[in-house]
Amino acid sequence: MKKAVKRIAEALERMAPAPQPAPEFDAADAYVWHVGPDHLAPVPDVSRVDLSLLLGVDRSRDTLLANTLQFARGLPANNALLWGARGMGKSSLVKAVHAEVIRQGLPLKVVELQREDLPSVARLLHLLRGAPYRFLLFCDDLSFSHDDQHYKSLKAVLDGGIEGRPENVIFYATSNRRHFENERSSGINPSEAVEEKVSLSDRFGLWLGFHPCTQDEYLAMIDGYCDAYGIRVDTAELRAEAIEWQATRGSRSGRVAWQFIVDLAGRKGVSI
């Protein structure tokens, strides 16, 4: 009998696990949200580049930094959608801006949330609500297929439902599209499905567009990386190799510039 009761108790615990202990928010400035079980994993060393190395996105950089500083200081600020060309530094800018806010002495925490974990966002907001810190909730590469209902969970972050979004939480997302309808809907009324996702993007107060860079901007990015990491190369040689590199990739972007720098630094024996 005791064994049966124990098995029932264990089954109930699996179905409704005990609440997770409150996170230790003093452990780090950055966290990743995981589910099953729910927990915030501290990230002691965030992979990011310095804000000064993100070239060709000056207006977006200045706007996002100003908005983030306002929020970190307890002032009104908007949720932000960074949309546009692949590889132009959308996610890098979010991480670099967070680092700059920390450098200025403001204790802002960043929490990365995966798109597939959006249904758990209400539980995450419950953990963050009332905590003695301000949080930048970040979701990279946000998009939704025609039958994806995750976008409804996102409204809990942007609007907060009946409780309202926690005043100590702001949400930044990146996407390759300005609106989130990345596939043609096959539903009964596809226009309504598209309208729902357009309505979702409208809930972001800031829309920051990222567009393919020019050749001059691409070369300026490479010059900036060379200066920052002490890579010495003849100017004409550097220009010729950089242009050949982007030609083989069929595109120019900040990501392509960084990939060229990684290759160049390796060939020149320079650590970056």
Side-chain angles (χ1 to χ4, degrees):
M1 181 67 177
K2 289 182 179 180
K3 290 183 178 179
V5 171
K6 183 180 179 181
R7 285 198 301 271
I8 293 171
E10 289 173 348
L12 290 172
E13 186 174 344
R14 288 193 297 271
M15 293 171 62
Q20 295 295 315
E24 295 183 6
F25 289 122
D26 293 329
D29 292 322
Y31 296 82
V32 175
W33 172 247
H34 295 284
V35 298
D38 293 348
H39 67 284
L40 284 164
V43 181
D45 186 17
V46 178
S47 175
R48 55 190 167 203
V49 299
D50 190 82
L51 191 62
S52 64
L53 293 177
L54 296 176
L55 304 178
V57 293
D58 297 17
R59 182 178 176 277
S60 294
R61 176 199 63 208
D62 295 346
T63 302
L64 193 68
L65 178 58
N67 189 70
T68 312
L69 286 170
Q70 287 170 204
F71 173 73
R73 290 168 178 153
L75 298 171
N78 276 304
N79 298 312
L81 173 63
L82 290 70
W83 67 275
R86 297 188 303 272
M88 279 305 296
K90 297 184 293 295
S91 60
S92 295
L93 180 58
V94 173
K95 292 183 286 186
V97 161
H98 173 251
E100 176 61 20
V101 171
I102 295 297
R103 190 192 69 78
Q104 294 192 25
L106 297 168
L108 177 65
K109 308 291 183 179
V110 64
V111 177
E112 185 172 34
L113 169 70
Q114 302 301 319
R115 190 200 69 86
E116 56 268 25
D117 293 331
L118 282 173
S120 70
V121 74
R123 304 196 299 273
L124 173 56
L125 293 180
H126 179 73
L127 281 179
L128 303 183
R129 188 184 299 272
Y133 289 101
R134 301 183 78 75
F135 297 92
L136 165 54
L137 197 55
F138 172 49
C139 188
D140 193 21
D141 198 19
L142 192 60
S143 63
F144 303 102
S145 60
H146 69 274
D147 57 351
D148 196 334
Q149 297 298 306
H150 285 11
Y151 69 90
K152 294 183 178 179
S153 301
L154 185 52
K155 290 182 179 180
V157 185
L158 301 177
D159 291 339
I162 193 170
E163 287 185 295
R165 175 167 54 88
E167 68 85 24
N168 64 329
V169 175
I170 199 169
F171 183 71
Y172 289 177
T174 70
S175 176
N176 291 336
R177 295 170 180 262
R178 188 171 186 174
H179 300 302
F180 299 121
E181 69 284 6
N182 69 338
E183 291 187 21
R184 183 174 299 170
S185 175
S186 60
I188 296 173
N189 194 335
S191 64
E192 287 186 4
V194 170
E195 184 62 29
E196 281 269 13
K197 293 164 189 174
V198 171
S199 174
L200 178 62
S201 63
D202 284 344
R203 286 173 163 81
F204 288 89
L206 282 183
W207 288 4
L208 302 176
F210 290 69
H211 308 289
C213 61
T214 65
Q215 182 166 286
D216 287 344
E217 289 171 333
Y218 167 74
L219 293 173
M221 293 173 188
I222 289 171
D223 287 340
Y225 283 131
C226 286
D227 290 342
Y229 295 112
I231 304 173
R232 306 301 175 205
V233 185
D234 175 75
T235 302
E237 177 188 348
L238 178 65
R239 179 183 175 88
E241 289 190 4
I243 292 175
E244 180 182 2
W245 182 274
Q246 63 90 17
T248 63
R249 299 302 181 277
S251 67
R252 287 188 296 265
S253 69
R255 181 179 297 143
V256 171
W258 174 250
Q259 291 167 345
F260 171 75
I261 286 295
V262 170
D263 177 77
L264 180 65
R267 289 189 282 112
K268 299 296 182 182
V270 177
S271 298
I272 57 176

